[in-house]
Amino acid sequence: MAVNLKGKSFLTLMDFSTQEIRYMLDLAHDLKAKKRAGIYNYVLKGKNIVLLFEKSSTRTRCAFEVAALDEGAHVTFLDSGSSQVGKKESIEDTAKVLGRFYDGIEYRGYEQSVVESLAKHSGVPVWNGLTDIDHPTQILADMMTMEEHISKPLNKCKVVFCGDIRNNMAYAWMYGCAKMGVHFVAYGPDVLIPDPEVIAKTSEIAKQTGAIIEVSSNPECLVGADVLYTDVWASMGEEAQTPDKVKMLAQFKVTMDMVEKTGNKDVLFMHCLPAFHDFETKTAKEWKEKGIDIREVTDEVFRSRHSVVFDEAENRMHTIKAVIVATIG
Ligand code: CP
Ligand code: NVA
């Protein structure tokens, strides 16, 4: 059956079939090739989109802006500091107003219920640019990057996510891997138990797609990995937990030993970014002065031939363009 995503919101990969995710990935590869060749079809000419950010961003914001402008759409950026959102106006009322002006709404913030509410009340597609429990546009970019670097299909690949196995990236990976038939291992400490509901839901889908969704604290799970993935140990909004997280996760820092343990000389290192891999950031420096090393990956791995982190960053734009084009183009 032909895929038609027009008018649909992009809140989580759980809302999409394997075929629909395949369609968005294929579209992203196609749009990337077209951009490289200087071909623009301006399929969003005359469209207006709004980007609503309650948390900071470099990649996601820039990806939405460039993607939309490449295709001829106009973009408005709003943050919580300079708009009425949340302080003087409810999400429901905000959605009803923005839906009158715009053809699509991007939201980055805290609760998943906010993107759901925006979608329910705005009447236009809403795109999830990250919440506390999901980051679906990132997974599209990561899978696109895997397809560029690994000759096997996604459903023959093994991804090991190291570190904070209860964060938005870990869950987004579980959803994406379940849908696309990927072998996913959440490798972290026993004390961090991922949401049993997420494990149950993704394990159910895995039965149909051939995916494997596992949680492990045993380094043996690294063997045979095609991708070692990590993310910051304290996500946006939980910076105060940094010292506890560092204690809990230090042994899951991605090192060259870990890369070697996979037994795969071509294993990829991936990270959604921003990453702490050296002490060249204010945050990493300040914690270091207090005797705390917050790096989730060594600089050696981050800069090694295994690392494809900047390809992933570029692919945020191509995949986000695919999502916008598929839903409002
Ligand atoms: N990976 C990612 O979402 O980056 P930003 O926080 O810079 O948007
Ligand atoms: N887990 C990170 C992802 C950043 C893209 C955070 O939420 O801060």
Side-chain angles (χ1 to χ4, degrees), residues 55 108 130 135 167-169 231-232 234-236 272-274:
K55 285 178 179 168
R108 166 174 285 198
L130 179 147
H135 196 7
N167 78 4
N168 42 14
M169 279 311 309
D231 184 12
V232 292
S235 286
M236 288 180 274
C272 53
L273 305 182

Side-chain angles (χ1 to χ4, degrees), residues 186-198:
Y187 173 48
D190 286 326
V191 285
L192 276 188
I193 299 167
D195 183 347
E197 213 180 295
V198 176

Side-chain angles (χ1 to χ4, degrees), residues 56-83:
S56 320
S57 170
T58 298
R59 275 145 292 272
T60 310
R61 174 186 176 175
C62 297
F64 268 95
E65 293 211 15
V66 173
L69 293 166
D70 270 358
E71 292 297 334
H74 291 272
V75 182
T76 303
F77 175 80
L78 283 183
D79 61 21
S80 45
S82 60
S83 68

Side-chain angles (χ1 to χ4, degrees), residues 37-67:
I39 301 165
Y40 296 92
N41 293 322
Y42 304 106
V43 296
L44 301 176
K45 194 165 181 283
K47 305 277 181 185
N48 293 285
I49 72 167
V50 61
L51 314 180
L52 194 48
F53 280 80
E54 296 202 87
K55 285 178 179 168
S56 320
S57 170
T58 298
R59 275 145 292 272
T60 310
R61 174 186 176 175
C62 297
F64 268 95
E65 293 211 15
V66 173

